[in-house]
Amino acid sequence: MDLQTTEVPIQGMDCADCTRHVQHAIAELPGVESVQVYLASEKAVIQHQPGSADITDIRKAVSSVGYSVPQTSEDSPAPSQYAKPLLTLLAVLFGVIIFVALIGE
């Protein structure tokens, strides 16, 4: 079975001991085959079986040893369906105000 590779940013590490703590915490997760934690780039590269070691499990394991996995755009909820129409309306309104101000001069 092919292994899946996941790169996860890690915040709060400042020494080699920190990387070892994070590495051991992630390595204990079910399905994880290997973990490399890099202090300089503040990330962990995890080789695991597909379907195991999801971001929630990794985040919990990392936080259990005192570090954190920042929220990424993939974790964030999708933008509201009203955001684009609202911004368009505001842009049109702003354009009308500018137009009226220039014509009124």
Side-chain angles (χ1 to χ4, degrees):
M1 182 185 256
D2 291 335
L3 293 178
Q4 182 177 348
T5 301
T6 302
E7 288 188 20
V8 179
I10 308 290
Q11 290 181 334
M13 299 184 303
D14 58 7
C15 65
D17 280 340
C18 299
T19 61
R20 280 193 291 278
H21 292 301
V22 171
Q23 184 171 355
H24 289 301
I26 295 172
E28 291 178 2
L29 293 173
V32 172
E33 298 293 324
S34 70
V35 182
Q36 295 296 319
V37 180
Y38 301 100
L39 180 61
S41 57
E42 296 183 315
K43 70 177 180 180
V45 178
I46 306 159
Q47 294 275 327
H48 58 94
Q49 297 172 6
S52 67
D54 67 358
I55 191 68
T56 304
D57 295 335
I58 295 168
R59 188 172 276 124
K60 286 179 186 176
V62 171
S63 67
S64 74
V65 291
Y67 307 97
S68 65
V69 176
Q71 198 78 358
T72 62
S73 59
E74 290 120 21
D75 299 338
S76 302
S80 170
Q81 62 181 352
Y82 302 109
K84 188 173 182 179
L86 181 61
L87 289 175
T88 303
L89 177 65
L90 290 174
V92 169
L93 182 61
F94 183 71
V96 168
I97 292 170
I98 295 297
F99 178 74
V100 169
L102 290 175
I103 297 300
E105 291 288 322

PDB file of all heavy atoms in Angstrom, residues 18-58:
ATOM      1  N   CYS A  18      12.557  20.411  21.248  1.00  0.00           N
ATOM      2  CA  CYS A  18      11.181  20.685  20.803  1.00  0.00           C
ATOM      3  C   CYS A  18      10.818  19.785  19.627  1.00  0.00           C
ATOM      4  O   CYS A  18       9.736  19.205  19.586  1.00  0.00           O
ATOM      5  CB  CYS A  18      11.024  22.145  20.374  1.00  0.00           C
ATOM      6  SG  CYS A  18      11.339  23.344  21.684  1.00  0.00           S
ATOM      7  N   THR A  19      11.736  19.678  18.671  1.00  0.00           N
ATOM      8  CA  THR A  19      11.447  18.846  17.490  1.00  0.00           C
ATOM      9  C   THR A  19      11.279  17.380  17.885  1.00  0.00           C
ATOM     10  O   THR A  19      10.427  16.694  17.326  1.00  0.00           O
ATOM     11  CB  THR A  19      12.549  18.986  16.420  1.00  0.00           C
ATOM     12  OG1 THR A  19      13.798  18.559  16.953  1.00  0.00           O
ATOM     13  CG2 THR A  19      12.652  20.414  15.914  1.00  0.00           C
ATOM     14  N   ARG A  20      12.065  16.922  18.843  1.00  0.00           N
ATOM     15  CA  ARG A  20      11.937  15.529  19.292  1.00  0.00           C
ATOM     16  C   ARG A  20      10.587  15.287  19.970  1.00  0.00           C
ATOM     17  O   ARG A  20       9.959  14.248  19.757  1.00  0.00           O
ATOM     18  CB  ARG A  20      13.088  15.151  20.229  1.00  0.00           C
ATOM     19  CG  ARG A  20      14.361  14.803  19.474  1.00  0.00           C
ATOM     20  CD  ARG A  20      15.376  14.124  20.381  1.00  0.00           C
ATOM     21  NE  ARG A  20      15.935  15.024  21.382  1.00  0.00           N
ATOM     22  CZ  ARG A  20      16.930  15.875  21.166  1.00  0.00           C
ATOM     23  NH1 ARG A  20      17.485  15.930  19.979  1.00  0.00           N
ATOM     24  NH2 ARG A  20      17.375  16.652  22.133  1.00  0.00           N
ATOM     25  N   HIS A  21      10.131  16.238  20.774  1.00  0.00           N
ATOM     26  CA  HIS A  21       8.834  16.091  21.439  1.00  0.00           C
ATOM     27  C   HIS A  21       7.714  16.001  20.398  1.00  0.00           C
ATOM     28  O   HIS A  21       6.834  15.146  20.490  1.00  0.00           O
ATOM     29  CB  HIS A  21       8.561  17.274  22.374  1.00  0.00           C
ATOM     30  CG  HIS A  21       9.453  17.339  23.559  1.00  0.00           C
ATOM     31  ND1 HIS A  21       9.544  16.344  24.495  1.00  0.00           N
ATOM     32  CD2 HIS A  21      10.305  18.306  23.968  1.00  0.00           C
ATOM     33  CE1 HIS A  21      10.408  16.680  25.431  1.00  0.00           C
ATOM     34  NE2 HIS A  21      10.892  17.877  25.125  1.00  0.00           N
ATOM     35  N   VAL A  22       7.765  16.886  19.410  1.00  0.00           N
ATOM     36  CA  VAL A  22       6.742  16.891  18.355  1.00  0.00           C
ATOM     37  C   VAL A  22       6.819  15.601  17.552  1.00  0.00           C
ATOM     38  O   VAL A  22       5.794  14.975  17.251  1.00  0.00           O
ATOM     39  CB  VAL A  22       6.907  18.130  17.441  1.00  0.00           C
ATOM     40  CG1 VAL A  22       6.006  18.033  16.222  1.00  0.00           C
ATOM     41  CG2 VAL A  22       6.623  19.406  18.221  1.00  0.00           C
ATOM     42  N   GLN A  23       8.034  15.183  17.221  1.00  0.00           N
ATOM     43  CA  GLN A  23       8.215  13.963  16.423  1.00  0.00           C
ATOM     44  C   GLN A  23       7.637  12.747  17.141  1.00  0.00           C
ATOM     45  O   GLN A  23       6.914  11.951  16.545  1.00  0.00           O
ATOM     46  CB  GLN A  23       9.694  13.754  16.126  1.00  0.00           C
ATOM     47  CG  GLN A  23       9.966  12.567  15.221  1.00  0.00           C
ATOM     48  CD  GLN A  23      11.413  12.517  14.760  1.00  0.00           C
ATOM     49  OE1 GLN A  23      12.195  13.424  15.043  1.00  0.00           O
ATOM     50  NE2 GLN A  23      11.758  11.467  14.063  1.00  0.00           N
ATOM     51  N   HIS A  24       7.917  12.607  18.431  1.00  0.00           N
ATOM     52  CA  HIS A  24       7.400  11.457  19.188  1.00  0.00           C
ATOM     53  C   HIS A  24       5.877  11.504  19.314  1.00  0.00           C
ATOM     54  O   HIS A  24       5.215  10.465  19.227  1.00  0.00           O
ATOM     55  CB  HIS A  24       8.052  11.379  20.574  1.00  0.00           C
ATOM     56  CG  HIS A  24       9.495  10.981  20.535  1.00  0.00           C
ATOM     57  ND1 HIS A  24       9.935   9.798  19.995  1.00  0.00           N
ATOM     58  CD2 HIS A  24      10.609  11.645  20.948  1.00  0.00           C
ATOM     59  CE1 HIS A  24      11.250   9.724  20.076  1.00  0.00           C
ATOM     60  NE2 HIS A  24      11.685  10.843  20.649  1.00  0.00           N
ATOM     61  N   ALA A  25       5.333  12.684  19.504  1.00  0.00           N
ATOM     62  CA  ALA A  25       3.874  12.808  19.638  1.00  0.00           C
ATOM     63  C   ALA A  25       3.162  12.393  18.356  1.00  0.00           C
ATOM     64  O   ALA A  25       2.161  11.665  18.391  1.00  0.00           O
ATOM     65  CB  ALA A  25       3.500  14.242  20.011  1.00  0.00           C
ATOM     66  N   ILE A  26       3.684  12.834  17.225  1.00  0.00           N
ATOM     67  CA  ILE A  26       3.055  12.489  15.940  1.00  0.00           C
ATOM     68  C   ILE A  26       3.289  11.025  15.604  1.00  0.00           C
ATOM     69  O   ILE A  26       2.402  10.341  15.084  1.00  0.00           O
ATOM     70  CB  ILE A  26       3.576  13.406  14.812  1.00  0.00           C
ATOM     71  CG1 ILE A  26       3.156  14.852  15.076  1.00  0.00           C
ATOM     72  CG2 ILE A  26       3.057  12.947  13.452  1.00  0.00           C
ATOM     73  CD1 ILE A  26       3.765  15.877  14.134  1.00  0.00           C
ATOM     74  N   ALA A  27       4.481  10.512  15.915  1.00  0.00           N
ATOM     75  CA  ALA A  27       4.816   9.121  15.602  1.00  0.00           C
ATOM     76  C   ALA A  27       3.901   8.127  16.317  1.00  0.00           C
ATOM     77  O   ALA A  27       3.708   7.004  15.831  1.00  0.00           O
ATOM     78  CB  ALA A  27       6.270   8.841  15.960  1.00  0.00           C
ATOM     79  N   GLU A  28       3.329   8.525  17.449  1.00  0.00           N
ATOM     80  CA  GLU A  28       2.448   7.631  18.194  1.00  0.00           C
ATOM     81  C   GLU A  28       1.048   7.508  17.591  1.00  0.00           C
ATOM     82  O   GLU A  28       0.275   6.646  18.003  1.00  0.00           O
ATOM     83  CB  GLU A  28       2.341   8.104  19.645  1.00  0.00           C
ATOM     84  CG  GLU A  28       3.633   7.931  20.417  1.00  0.00           C
ATOM     85  CD  GLU A  28       3.538   8.450  21.843  1.00  0.00           C
ATOM     86  OE1 GLU A  28       2.455   8.917  22.252  1.00  0.00           O
ATOM     87  OE2 GLU A  28       4.566   8.388  22.545  1.00  0.00           O
ATOM     88  N   LEU A  29       0.726   8.355  16.625  1.00  0.00           N
ATOM     89  CA  LEU A  29      -0.607   8.282  16.004  1.00  0.00           C
ATOM     90  C   LEU A  29      -0.735   7.013  15.171  1.00  0.00           C
ATOM     91  O   LEU A  29       0.235   6.588  14.528  1.00  0.00           O
ATOM     92  CB  LEU A  29      -0.843   9.508  15.114  1.00  0.00           C
ATOM     93  CG  LEU A  29      -0.953  10.849  15.830  1.00  0.00           C
ATOM     94  CD1 LEU A  29      -1.005  11.982  14.812  1.00  0.00           C
ATOM     95  CD2 LEU A  29      -2.185  10.879  16.711  1.00  0.00           C
ATOM     96  N   PRO A  30      -1.914   6.393  15.156  1.00  0.00           N
ATOM     97  CA  PRO A  30      -2.110   5.183  14.367  1.00  0.00           C
ATOM     98  C   PRO A  30      -1.938   5.456  12.872  1.00  0.00           C
ATOM     99  O   PRO A  30      -2.402   6.479  12.365  1.00  0.00           O
ATOM    100  CB  PRO A  30      -3.563   4.788  14.657  1.00  0.00           C
ATOM    101  CG  PRO A  30      -4.034   5.652  15.765  1.00  0.00           C
ATOM    102  CD  PRO A  30      -3.096   6.797  15.898  1.00  0.00           C
ATOM    103  N   GLY A  31      -1.229   4.560  12.202  1.00  0.00           N
ATOM    104  CA  GLY A  31      -1.044   4.668  10.755  1.00  0.00           C
ATOM    105  C   GLY A  31       0.163   5.471  10.333  1.00  0.00           C
ATOM    106  O   GLY A  31       0.509   5.505   9.155  1.00  0.00           O
ATOM    107  N   VAL A  32       0.842   6.126  11.273  1.00  0.00           N
ATOM    108  CA  VAL A  32       2.026   6.926  10.941  1.00  0.00           C
ATOM    109  C   VAL A  32       3.223   5.997  10.817  1.00  0.00           C
ATOM    110  O   VAL A  32       3.529   5.234  11.725  1.00  0.00           O
ATOM    111  CB  VAL A  32       2.275   8.016  12.005  1.00  0.00           C
ATOM    112  CG1 VAL A  32       3.606   8.712  11.766  1.00  0.00           C
ATOM    113  CG2 VAL A  32       1.135   9.009  12.016  1.00  0.00           C
ATOM    114  N   GLU A  33       3.883   6.063   9.677  1.00  0.00           N
ATOM    115  CA  GLU A  33       5.059   5.225   9.424  1.00  0.00           C
ATOM    116  C   GLU A  33       6.360   5.947   9.779  1.00  0.00           C
ATOM    117  O   GLU A  33       7.272   5.343  10.315  1.00  0.00           O
ATOM    118  CB  GLU A  33       5.099   4.803   7.949  1.00  0.00           C
ATOM    119  CG  GLU A  33       3.901   3.971   7.519  1.00  0.00           C
ATOM    120  CD  GLU A  33       3.867   2.598   8.178  1.00  0.00           C
ATOM    121  OE1 GLU A  33       4.939   1.998   8.377  1.00  0.00           O
ATOM    122  OE2 GLU A  33       2.757   2.131   8.489  1.00  0.00           O
ATOM    123  N   SER A  34       6.448   7.254   9.438  1.00  0.00           N
ATOM    124  CA  SER A  34       7.645   8.018   9.783  1.00  0.00           C
ATOM    125  C   SER A  34       7.312   9.496   9.891  1.00  0.00           C
ATOM    126  O   SER A  34       6.354   9.977   9.286  1.00  0.00           O
ATOM    127  CB  SER A  34       8.756   7.807   8.748  1.00  0.00           C
ATOM    128  OG  SER A  34       8.423   8.423   7.524  1.00  0.00           O
ATOM    129  N   VAL A  35       8.124  10.202  10.668  1.00  0.00           N
ATOM    130  CA  VAL A  35       7.942  11.640  10.886  1.00  0.00           C
ATOM    131  C   VAL A  35       9.314  12.299  10.879  1.00  0.00           C
ATOM    132  O   VAL A  35      10.233  11.820  11.553  1.00  0.00           O
ATOM    133  CB  VAL A  35       7.264  11.940  12.238  1.00  0.00           C
ATOM    134  CG1 VAL A  35       7.057  13.434  12.404  1.00  0.00           C
ATOM    135  CG2 VAL A  35       5.982  11.193  12.403  1.00  0.00           C
ATOM    136  N   GLN A  36       9.425  13.369  10.148  1.00  0.00           N
ATOM    137  CA  GLN A  36      10.613  14.217  10.194  1.00  0.00           C
ATOM    138  C   GLN A  36      10.148  15.608  10.587  1.00  0.00           C
ATOM    139  O   GLN A  36       9.251  16.155   9.945  1.00  0.00           O
ATOM    140  CB  GLN A  36      11.311  14.266   8.826  1.00  0.00           C
ATOM    141  CG  GLN A  36      11.893  12.947   8.373  1.00  0.00           C
ATOM    142  CD  GLN A  36      13.012  12.480   9.288  1.00  0.00           C
ATOM    143  OE1 GLN A  36      13.847  13.259   9.721  1.00  0.00           O
ATOM    144  NE2 GLN A  36      13.013  11.193   9.591  1.00  0.00           N
ATOM    145  N   VAL A  37      10.732  16.171  11.636  1.00  0.00           N
ATOM    146  CA  VAL A  37      10.364  17.511  12.088  1.00  0.00           C
ATOM    147  C   VAL A  37      11.568  18.417  11.872  1.00  0.00           C
ATOM    148  O   VAL A  37      12.671  18.099  12.296  1.00  0.00           O
ATOM    149  CB  VAL A  37       9.937  17.501  13.570  1.00  0.00           C
ATOM    150  CG1 VAL A  37       9.562  18.905  14.021  1.00  0.00           C
ATOM    151  CG2 VAL A  37       8.760  16.550  13.778  1.00  0.00           C
ATOM    152  N   TYR A  38      11.325  19.542  11.196  1.00  0.00           N
ATOM    153  CA  TYR A  38      12.392  20.473  10.846  1.00  0.00           C
ATOM    154  C   TYR A  38      12.218  21.768  11.624  1.00  0.00           C
ATOM    155  O   TYR A  38      11.213  22.463  11.482  1.00  0.00           O
ATOM    156  CB  TYR A  38      12.377  20.745   9.342  1.00  0.00           C
ATOM    157  CG  TYR A  38      12.559  19.483   8.530  1.00  0.00           C
ATOM    158  CD1 TYR A  38      11.469  18.844   7.954  1.00  0.00           C
ATOM    159  CD2 TYR A  38      13.818  18.925   8.360  1.00  0.00           C
ATOM    160  CE1 TYR A  38      11.626  17.684   7.222  1.00  0.00           C
ATOM    161  CE2 TYR A  38      13.991  17.754   7.633  1.00  0.00           C
ATOM    162  CZ  TYR A  38      12.888  17.144   7.063  1.00  0.00           C
ATOM    163  OH  TYR A  38      13.058  15.989   6.335  1.00  0.00           O
ATOM    164  N   LEU A  39      13.221  22.088  12.427  1.00  0.00           N
ATOM    165  CA  LEU A  39      13.176  23.290  13.257  1.00  0.00           C
ATOM    166  C   LEU A  39      13.271  24.549  12.403  1.00  0.00           C
ATOM    167  O   LEU A  39      12.501  25.493  12.590  1.00  0.00           O
ATOM    168  CB  LEU A  39      14.317  23.259  14.282  1.00  0.00           C
ATOM    169  CG  LEU A  39      14.421  24.454  15.227  1.00  0.00           C
ATOM    170  CD1 LEU A  39      13.158  24.583  16.067  1.00  0.00           C
ATOM    171  CD2 LEU A  39      15.651  24.313  16.113  1.00  0.00           C
ATOM    172  N   ALA A  40      14.197  24.582  11.450  1.00  0.00           N
ATOM    173  CA  ALA A  40      14.432  25.780  10.648  1.00  0.00           C
ATOM    174  C   ALA A  40      13.210  26.189   9.828  1.00  0.00           C
ATOM    175  O   ALA A  40      12.878  27.369   9.744  1.00  0.00           O
ATOM    176  CB  ALA A  40      15.626  25.580   9.732  1.00  0.00           C
ATOM    177  N   SER A  41      12.529  25.222   9.249  1.00  0.00           N
ATOM    178  CA  SER A  41      11.350  25.539   8.431  1.00  0.00           C
ATOM    179  C   SER A  41      10.051  25.405   9.217  1.00  0.00           C
ATOM    180  O   SER A  41       8.975  25.631   8.666  1.00  0.00           O
ATOM    181  CB  SER A  41      11.310  24.660   7.182  1.00  0.00           C
ATOM    182  OG  SER A  41      11.318  23.297   7.537  1.00  0.00           O
ATOM    183  N   GLU A  42      10.158  25.031  10.480  1.00  0.00           N
ATOM    184  CA  GLU A  42       9.008  24.892  11.377  1.00  0.00           C
ATOM    185  C   GLU A  42       7.892  24.057  10.770  1.00  0.00           C
ATOM    186  O   GLU A  42       6.754  24.488  10.651  1.00  0.00           O
ATOM    187  CB  GLU A  42       8.474  26.267  11.784  1.00  0.00           C
ATOM    188  CG  GLU A  42       9.459  27.076  12.594  1.00  0.00           C
ATOM    189  CD  GLU A  42       8.878  28.399  13.053  1.00  0.00           C
ATOM    190  OE1 GLU A  42       8.241  29.090  12.237  1.00  0.00           O
ATOM    191  OE2 GLU A  42       9.059  28.712  14.239  1.00  0.00           O
ATOM    192  N   LYS A  43       8.237  22.831  10.374  1.00  0.00           N
ATOM    193  CA  LYS A  43       7.224  21.948   9.809  1.00  0.00           C
ATOM    194  C   LYS A  43       7.560  20.493  10.118  1.00  0.00           C
ATOM    195  O   LYS A  43       8.680  20.158  10.481  1.00  0.00           O
ATOM    196  CB  LYS A  43       7.104  22.141   8.304  1.00  0.00           C
ATOM    197  CG  LYS A  43       8.290  21.630   7.510  1.00  0.00           C
ATOM    198  CD  LYS A  43       8.050  21.804   6.027  1.00  0.00           C
ATOM    199  CE  LYS A  43       9.238  21.300   5.227  1.00  0.00           C
ATOM    200  NZ  LYS A  43       9.018  21.470   3.790  1.00  0.00           N
ATOM    201  N   ALA A  44       6.533  19.669   9.962  1.00  0.00           N
ATOM    202  CA  ALA A  44       6.691  18.230  10.106  1.00  0.00           C
ATOM    203  C   ALA A  44       6.276  17.590   8.792  1.00  0.00           C
ATOM    204  O   ALA A  44       5.274  17.989   8.193  1.00  0.00           O
ATOM    205  CB  ALA A  44       5.825  17.700  11.239  1.00  0.00           C
ATOM    206  N   VAL A  45       7.062  16.629   8.335  1.00  0.00           N
ATOM    207  CA  VAL A  45       6.726  15.861   7.142  1.00  0.00           C
ATOM    208  C   VAL A  45       6.384  14.456   7.624  1.00  0.00           C
ATOM    209  O   VAL A  45       7.222  13.766   8.205  1.00  0.00           O
ATOM    210  CB  VAL A  45       7.895  15.844   6.130  1.00  0.00           C
ATOM    211  CG1 VAL A  45       7.534  15.007   4.915  1.00  0.00           C
ATOM    212  CG2 VAL A  45       8.272  17.260   5.722  1.00  0.00           C
ATOM    213  N   ILE A  46       5.147  14.063   7.376  1.00  0.00           N
ATOM    214  CA  ILE A  46       4.616  12.818   7.938  1.00  0.00           C
ATOM    215  C   ILE A  46       4.300  11.842   6.824  1.00  0.00           C
ATOM    216  O   ILE A  46       3.574  12.174   5.881  1.00  0.00           O
ATOM    217  CB  ILE A  46       3.338  13.116   8.756  1.00  0.00           C
ATOM    218  CG1 ILE A  46       3.624  14.193   9.798  1.00  0.00           C
ATOM    219  CG2 ILE A  46       2.792  11.845   9.392  1.00  0.00           C
ATOM    220  CD1 ILE A  46       2.393  14.910  10.284  1.00  0.00           C
ATOM    221  N   GLN A  47       4.833  10.636   6.925  1.00  0.00           N
ATOM    222  CA  GLN A  47       4.503   9.540   6.015  1.00  0.00           C
ATOM    223  C   GLN A  47       3.513   8.645   6.755  1.00  0.00           C
ATOM    224  O   GLN A  47       3.827   8.143   7.836  1.00  0.00           O
ATOM    225  CB  GLN A  47       5.764   8.727   5.673  1.00  0.00           C
ATOM    226  CG  GLN A  47       6.800   9.481   4.884  1.00  0.00           C
ATOM    227  CD  GLN A  47       6.492   9.425   3.396  1.00  0.00           C
ATOM    228  OE1 GLN A  47       5.960   8.451   2.905  1.00  0.00           O
ATOM    229  NE2 GLN A  47       6.817  10.497   2.702  1.00  0.00           N
ATOM    230  N   HIS A  48       2.318   8.502   6.197  1.00  0.00           N
ATOM    231  CA  HIS A  48       1.305   7.705   6.891  1.00  0.00           C
ATOM    232  C   HIS A  48       0.425   6.974   5.889  1.00  0.00           C
ATOM    233  O   HIS A  48       0.416   7.280   4.695  1.00  0.00           O
ATOM    234  CB  HIS A  48       0.455   8.596   7.804  1.00  0.00           C
ATOM    235  CG  HIS A  48      -0.239   9.713   7.085  1.00  0.00           C
ATOM    236  ND1 HIS A  48      -1.523   9.617   6.618  1.00  0.00           N
ATOM    237  CD2 HIS A  48       0.187  10.954   6.751  1.00  0.00           C
ATOM    238  CE1 HIS A  48      -1.866  10.754   6.033  1.00  0.00           C
ATOM    239  NE2 HIS A  48      -0.836  11.584   6.103  1.00  0.00           N
ATOM    240  N   GLN A  49      -0.313   6.017   6.393  1.00  0.00           N
ATOM    241  CA  GLN A  49      -1.246   5.274   5.554  1.00  0.00           C
ATOM    242  C   GLN A  49      -2.422   6.182   5.206  1.00  0.00           C
ATOM    243  O   GLN A  49      -2.876   6.955   6.047  1.00  0.00           O
ATOM    244  CB  GLN A  49      -1.723   4.018   6.283  1.00  0.00           C
ATOM    245  CG  GLN A  49      -0.604   3.044   6.569  1.00  0.00           C
ATOM    246  CD  GLN A  49      -1.050   1.892   7.449  1.00  0.00           C
ATOM    247  OE1 GLN A  49      -2.225   1.744   7.765  1.00  0.00           O
ATOM    248  NE2 GLN A  49      -0.094   1.070   7.845  1.00  0.00           N
ATOM    249  N   PRO A  50      -2.904   6.109   3.964  1.00  0.00           N
ATOM    250  CA  PRO A  50      -4.043   6.947   3.569  1.00  0.00           C
ATOM    251  C   PRO A  50      -5.229   6.730   4.499  1.00  0.00           C
ATOM    252  O   PRO A  50      -5.518   5.608   4.915  1.00  0.00           O
ATOM    253  CB  PRO A  50      -4.361   6.479   2.154  1.00  0.00           C
ATOM    254  CG  PRO A  50      -3.085   5.893   1.650  1.00  0.00           C
ATOM    255  CD  PRO A  50      -2.423   5.279   2.864  1.00  0.00           C
ATOM    256  N   GLY A  51      -5.882   7.807   4.862  1.00  0.00           N
ATOM    257  CA  GLY A  51      -7.044   7.728   5.741  1.00  0.00           C
ATOM    258  C   GLY A  51      -6.709   7.789   7.218  1.00  0.00           C
ATOM    259  O   GLY A  51      -7.599   7.856   8.054  1.00  0.00           O
ATOM    260  N   SER A  52      -5.429   7.758   7.547  1.00  0.00           N
ATOM    261  CA  SER A  52      -5.037   7.851   8.958  1.00  0.00           C
ATOM    262  C   SER A  52      -4.360   9.194   9.190  1.00  0.00           C
ATOM    263  O   SER A  52      -3.995   9.888   8.252  1.00  0.00           O
ATOM    264  CB  SER A  52      -4.081   6.713   9.322  1.00  0.00           C
ATOM    265  OG  SER A  52      -2.854   6.882   8.644  1.00  0.00           O
ATOM    266  N   ALA A  53      -4.209   9.563  10.434  1.00  0.00           N
ATOM    267  CA  ALA A  53      -3.490  10.776  10.831  1.00  0.00           C
ATOM    268  C   ALA A  53      -4.016  12.013  10.109  1.00  0.00           C
ATOM    269  O   ALA A  53      -3.293  12.687   9.405  1.00  0.00           O
ATOM    270  CB  ALA A  53      -1.995  10.616  10.590  1.00  0.00           C
ATOM    271  N   ASP A  54      -5.295  12.315  10.336  1.00  0.00           N
ATOM    272  CA  ASP A  54      -5.837  13.537   9.734  1.00  0.00           C
ATOM    273  C   ASP A  54      -5.363  14.751  10.523  1.00  0.00           C
ATOM    274  O   ASP A  54      -4.758  14.632  11.578  1.00  0.00           O
ATOM    275  CB  ASP A  54      -7.361  13.484   9.616  1.00  0.00           C
ATOM    276  CG  ASP A  54      -8.069  13.496  10.961  1.00  0.00           C
ATOM    277  OD1 ASP A  54      -7.389  13.501  11.995  1.00  0.00           O
ATOM    278  OD2 ASP A  54      -9.308  13.510  10.964  1.00  0.00           O
ATOM    279  N   ILE A  55      -5.621  15.930   9.997  1.00  0.00           N
ATOM    280  CA  ILE A  55      -5.101  17.160  10.586  1.00  0.00           C
ATOM    281  C   ILE A  55      -5.592  17.371  12.018  1.00  0.00           C
ATOM    282  O   ILE A  55      -4.853  17.889  12.858  1.00  0.00           O
ATOM    283  CB  ILE A  55      -5.410  18.386   9.686  1.00  0.00           C
ATOM    284  CG1 ILE A  55      -4.647  19.633  10.157  1.00  0.00           C
ATOM    285  CG2 ILE A  55      -6.891  18.662   9.629  1.00  0.00           C
ATOM    286  CD1 ILE A  55      -3.165  19.547   9.969  1.00  0.00           C
ATOM    287  N   THR A  56      -6.793  16.934  12.319  1.00  0.00           N
ATOM    288  CA  THR A  56      -7.321  17.083  13.678  1.00  0.00           C
ATOM    289  C   THR A  56      -6.514  16.247  14.664  1.00  0.00           C
ATOM    290  O   THR A  56      -6.153  16.724  15.743  1.00  0.00           O
ATOM    291  CB  THR A  56      -8.805  16.668  13.725  1.00  0.00           C
ATOM    292  OG1 THR A  56      -9.516  17.432  12.765  1.00  0.00           O
ATOM    293  CG2 THR A  56      -9.396  16.894  15.097  1.00  0.00           C
ATOM    294  N   ASP A  57      -6.201  15.005  14.295  1.00  0.00           N
ATOM    295  CA  ASP A  57      -5.394  14.138  15.161  1.00  0.00           C
ATOM    296  C   ASP A  57      -3.986  14.697  15.341  1.00  0.00           C
ATOM    297  O   ASP A  57      -3.435  14.687  16.453  1.00  0.00           O
ATOM    298  CB  ASP A  57      -5.303  12.727  14.573  1.00  0.00           C
ATOM    299  CG  ASP A  57      -6.646  12.022  14.524  1.00  0.00           C
ATOM    300  OD1 ASP A  57      -7.530  12.364  15.329  1.00  0.00           O
ATOM    301  OD2 ASP A  57      -6.806  11.131  13.658  1.00  0.00           O
ATOM    302  N   ILE A  58      -3.414  15.192  14.249  1.00  0.00           N
ATOM    303  CA  ILE A  58      -2.066  15.756  14.309  1.00  0.00           C
ATOM    304  C   ILE A  58      -2.063  16.994  15.195  1.00  0.00           C
ATOM    305  O   ILE A  58      -1.181  17.161  16.045  1.00  0.00           O
ATOM    306  CB  ILE A  58      -1.553  16.080  12.891  1.00  0.00           C
ATOM    307  CG1 ILE A  58      -1.402  14.785  12.076  1.00  0.00           C
ATOM    308  CG2 ILE A  58      -0.240  16.851  12.958  1.00  0.00           C
ATOM    309  CD1 ILE A  58      -1.186  14.995  10.596  1.00  0.00           C
TER     310      ILE A  58
END
